[in-house]
């Protein structure tokens, strides 16, 4: 009897090797290769496997396909529905991931409770017993008799039950704790995750069952398992924490049926996840309008956010000035500082620069260039910007200030929260607005905001 061949697979990138290696040749990760024993495909048809040729595929033209699309599943939790793209798309495979203890199970229990009012929902808890789930449900007031639970972790049984009962939605919390009976794959292994995800994807498409699964993340903060998992599923959502308000941010990083980078905000309390629909009200309440502070706006998904930029410049005491930046690409701040020094002759190259985005958000948009420049100048001259003003503009390498996109959305949001002045590019096209506007064509004109200029 021939010995069954094994191979080694990287848990980060999925690279396969015939022998164990300390460092993965593909992603250069250390100690990431694990031994994999090839096993038969889950629910494999024996007669098909024995046959040398498969059945003929029947092809169809698109005009013979029904164009009727089922309505999305709405939960009534507006922040969840927003991130989903207007509700959960039927027959989709969705992954929700995040740090341990961040609240994935809590949020899914609330979502499943809301969905069970109109849909048939099965909840498979592979990490907790039913007694533990009930304790959480009592705390969240989610004791819905229409919602059916199981602590079964055998994926074969889960799929067969779903094929027989045909629920509208099944929730598996979590996929790493599932095992495949009749195989030698270990729960959480690369091969188990790939096989489980593939079978759940086929279940969703062939049986018209929506599947929502939770997954773990790696120490780098990305979804655990090979990268192919993200390509197989329809949507990937990250639940992230923000310590200041004990809030949680639900972010769409992949969504075939909605916008990516869409954000939903929740506040973690004893009775569960509470929606925070007006996050800008929290953000704007903490803006200081002191020297070194400027207000900008960005768009995440379809939502405009008002964010405070904070800059601190101080004469350097060491040979090489420090550049410590949080929430922005430090190269963007260094670039803006170089432009200001080139054209305005402010000696920022001799200054230590500390820069951060308030609230722990990450900014990637170039439309915040003007806000970065004004925050640096405000700190350098120790003079605040006009009270309750917002800066919207991009700065070119030649020192010209250029217009930004989504200006109407930004202005509408700014008006809602009491902004009194707009600082924008001279060429920015703007509809009629009751807000006072100050325009700039280049960085030289920014000095007009500061009454006393240090020599």
């Amino acid at each position: 009897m021939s010995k069954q061949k094994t191979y080694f697979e990287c848990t980060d990138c999925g690279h396969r090797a015939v022998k164990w290696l300390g460092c993965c040749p593909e992603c250069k990760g250390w100690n990431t290769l694990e031994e994999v024993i090839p096993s038969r495909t889950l629910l494999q048809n024996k007669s098909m496997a024995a046959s040398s040729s498969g059945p003929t595929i029947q092809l169809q033209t698109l005009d013979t396909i029904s164009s009727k699309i089922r309505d999305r599943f709405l939960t009534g939790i507006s922040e969840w529905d927003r991130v989903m793209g207007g509700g959960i798309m039927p027959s989709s495979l969705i992954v929700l991931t995040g740090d341990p203890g961040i609240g994935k199970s809590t949020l899914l229990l609330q979502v499943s409770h809301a969905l069970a009012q109109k849909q048939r929902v099965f909840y498979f808890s592979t990490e907790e017993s039913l007694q533990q789930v009930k304790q959480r449900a009592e705390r969240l007031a989610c004791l819905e008799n229409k919602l059916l639970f199981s602590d079964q972790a055998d994926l074969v049984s889960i799929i067969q039950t779903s094929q027989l009962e045909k629920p509208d939605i099944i929730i598996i919390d979590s996929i790493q704790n599932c095992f495949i009976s009749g195989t030698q794959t270990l729960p959480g292994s690369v091969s188990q995750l790939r096989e489980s995800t593939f079978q759940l994807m086929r279940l969703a498409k062939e049986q018209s069952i929506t599947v929502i699964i939770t997954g773990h993340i790696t120490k780098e903060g990305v979804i655990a398992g090979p990268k192919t998992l993200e390509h197989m599923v329809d949507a990937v959502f990250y639940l992230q924490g923000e310590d200041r308000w004990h809030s949680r941010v639900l972010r769409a990083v992949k969504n075939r049926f909605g916008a990516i980078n869409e954000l939903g905000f929740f506040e973690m309390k004893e009775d569960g996840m509470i929606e925070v629909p007006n996050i800008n009200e929290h953000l704007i309440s903490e803006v200081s309008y002191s020297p070194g502070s400027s207000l900008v706006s960005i768009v995440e998904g379809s939502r405009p956010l008002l964010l405070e930029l904070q800059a601190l410049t101080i004469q350097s005491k060491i040979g090489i000035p420090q550049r410590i930046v949080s929430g922005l690409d430090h190269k963007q701040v260094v670039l803006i500082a170089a432009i200001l020094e080139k054209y305005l002759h402010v000696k920022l190259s001799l200054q230590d620069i500390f820069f951060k985005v308030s609230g722990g958000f990450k900014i990637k948009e170039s439309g915040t260039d003007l806000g970065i420049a004004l925050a640096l100048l405000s700190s350098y001259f120790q003079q605040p910007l006009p009270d309750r003003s917002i800066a919207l503009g991009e700065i070119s390498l030649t020192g010209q200030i250029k217009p930004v996109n989504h200006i109407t959305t930004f202005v509408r949001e700014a008006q809602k929260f009491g902004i009194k002045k707009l600082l924008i590019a001279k060429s920015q096209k703007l509809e009629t607005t009751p807000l006072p506007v100050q325009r700039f064509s280049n960085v030289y004109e920014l000095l007009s905001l500061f009454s006393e200029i240090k020599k």
Side-chain angles (χ1 to χ4, degrees):
M1 182 176 180
S2 61
K3 182 179 178 181
Q4 189 175 20
K5 294 183 178 180
T6 65
Y7 59 90
F8 295 84
E9 189 167 47
C10 177
T11 58
D12 288 347
C13 67
H15 175 78
R16 295 184 179 184
V18 296
K19 64 179 181 178
W20 185 85
L21 300 172
C23 178
C24 175
E26 186 71 24
C27 67
K28 308 304 179 184
W30 287 91
N31 297 320
T32 58
L33 270 70
E34 293 184 355
E35 185 176 12
V36 177
I37 301 175
S39 58
R40 295 181 56 186
T41 304
L42 176 66
L43 303 179
Q44 186 178 18
N45 190 309
K46 295 182 181 179
S47 61
M48 287 293 298
S51 176
S52 59
S53 60
T56 303
I57 298 176
Q58 183 179 1
L59 303 178
Q60 295 176 271
T61 58
L62 291 180
D63 58 353
T64 63
I65 306 299
S66 173
S67 59
K68 184 178 180 181
I69 302 177
R70 296 170 60 189
D71 294 335
R72 290 176 180 253
F73 299 138
L74 296 174
T75 64
I77 304 174
S78 59
E79 293 298 294
W80 170 276
D81 291 337
R82 171 201 288 269
V83 178
M84 294 296 120
I88 300 172
M89 177 64 72
S91 305
S92 60
L93 175 56
I94 297 171
V95 176
L96 174 65
T97 188
D99 290 320
I102 200 70
K104 301 184 295 295
S105 299
T106 297
L107 179 59
L108 275 186
L109 188 55
Q110 292 180 257
V111 168
S112 60
H113 174 263
L115 290 170
Q117 306 300 318
K118 295 183 179 180
Q119 279 80 36
R120 195 165 180 230
V121 183
F122 291 176
Y123 192 112
F124 296 94
S125 176
T126 65
E127 294 184 339
E128 298 177 309
S129 67
L130 295 184
Q131 289 76 16
Q132 293 172 322
V133 175
K134 182 178 181 180
Q135 288 180 350
R136 177 184 288 114
E138 289 175 340
R139 178 169 54 86
L140 303 178
C142 292
L143 292 174
E144 172 58 57
N145 291 332
K146 297 180 182 179
L147 182 59
L148 301 178
F149 291 89
S150 172
D151 56 5
Q152 177 62 253
D154 182 3
L155 193 66
V156 176
S157 299
I158 291 175
I159 291 178
Q160 290 177 343
T161 301
S162 301
Q163 291 174 335
L164 181 63
E165 300 293 336
K166 296 193 181 301
D168 298 307
I169 302 168
I170 66 170
I171 296 173
I172 302 176
D173 182 21
S174 69
I175 189 63
Q176 271 85 3
N177 276 38
C178 289
F179 66 91
I180 303 175
S181 60
T183 68
Q184 296 177 321
T185 56
L186 297 175
S189 64
V190 172
S191 56
Q192 182 265 339
L193 288 174
R194 182 185 291 114
E195 180 68 17
S196 299
T197 304
F198 175 77
Q199 295 301 331
L200 290 173
M201 183 265 292
R202 298 314 310 164
L203 175 70
K205 305 308 176 185
E206 295 174 0
Q207 304 294 326
S208 298
I209 297 174
T210 302
V211 180
I212 304 175
I213 60 178
T214 64
H216 300 167
I217 63 173
T218 65
K219 60 183 179 181
E220 288 80 18
V222 297
I223 183 172
K227 200 67 177 176
T228 52
L229 293 185
E230 294 189 37
H231 300 293
M232 293 169 65
V233 302
D234 294 311
V236 179
F237 302 98
Y238 281 75
L239 188 62
Q240 302 166 322
E242 201 288 320
D243 295 333
R244 182 181 304 173
W245 307 307
H246 300 286
S247 64
R248 300 291 184 266
V249 180
L250 182 64
R251 181 187 298 271
V253 296
K254 175 187 178 180
N255 192 353
R256 288 174 177 160
F257 314 112
I260 61 171
N261 293 324
E262 188 69 79
L263 299 180
F265 295 91
F266 299 86
E267 186 175 0
M268 175 65 86
K269 294 187 176 181
E270 291 183 0
D271 54 348
M273 294 280 196
I274 307 300
E275 295 179 79
V276 184
N278 293 322
I279 189 62
N280 282 327
E281 186 176 346
H282 291 268
L283 298 173
I284 206 73
S285 65
E286 297 189 350
V287 178
S288 60
Y289 301 106
S290 56
S293 171
S294 69
L295 189 65
V296 297
S297 186
I298 63 172
V299 170
E300 289 283 358
S302 61
R303 165 176 280 175
L305 298 177
L306 304 177
L307 302 177
E308 180 189 20
L309 304 182
Q310 300 173 358
L312 174 63
T313 62
I314 187 172
Q315 187 71 31
S316 180
K317 304 298 187 203
I318 57 178
I320 302 177
Q322 300 180 78
R323 300 289 185 264
I324 300 178
V325 181
S326 175
L328 277 164
D329 184 352
H330 80 283
K331 294 180 181 179
Q332 185 179 5
V333 176
V334 171
L335 178 62
I336 298 300
I339 293 173
L340 295 177
E341 180 160 2
K342 168 72 175 179
Y343 298 107
L344 303 184
H345 306 291
V346 291
K347 299 299 182 180
L348 292 175
S349 60
L350 304 178
Q351 304 272 316
D352 288 333
I353 296 178
F354 305 91
F355 206 99
K356 68 174 293 187
V357 180
S358 181
F361 289 91
K362 305 291 184 182
I363 293 180
K364 299 180 181 179
E365 297 184 13
S366 60
T368 59
D369 287 352
L370 181 57
I372 295 172
L374 290 176
L376 291 171
L377 291 174
S378 175
S379 177
Y380 183 81
F381 295 124
Q382 275 301 288
Q383 295 185 39
L385 296 173
D387 185 45
R388 302 188 75 79
S389 61
I390 187 169
L392 305 168
E394 182 181 347
I395 299 179
S396 68
L397 294 179
T398 59
Q400 304 300 309
I401 299 178
K402 298 184 176 182
V404 298
N405 298 323
H406 312 293
I407 187 64
T408 303
T409 303
F410 293 148
V411 172
R412 188 183 302 117
E413 193 72 9
Q415 286 181 258
K416 187 187 303 182
F417 293 97
I419 300 302
K420 297 180 179 179
K421 191 170 187 177
L422 299 177
L423 308 175
I424 59 176
K426 187 174 182 179
S427 58
Q428 181 76 64
K429 294 182 180 180
L430 187 65
E431 298 177 0
T432 304
T433 173
L435 297 178
V437 178
Q438 186 168 353
R439 296 176 178 270
F440 308 93
S441 59
N442 53 59
V443 293
Y444 299 105
E445 299 177 4
L446 299 181
L447 296 179
S448 63
L449 294 172
F450 307 99
S451 56
E452 298 180 4
I453 305 300
K454 294 184 179 181
K455 302 296 184 183

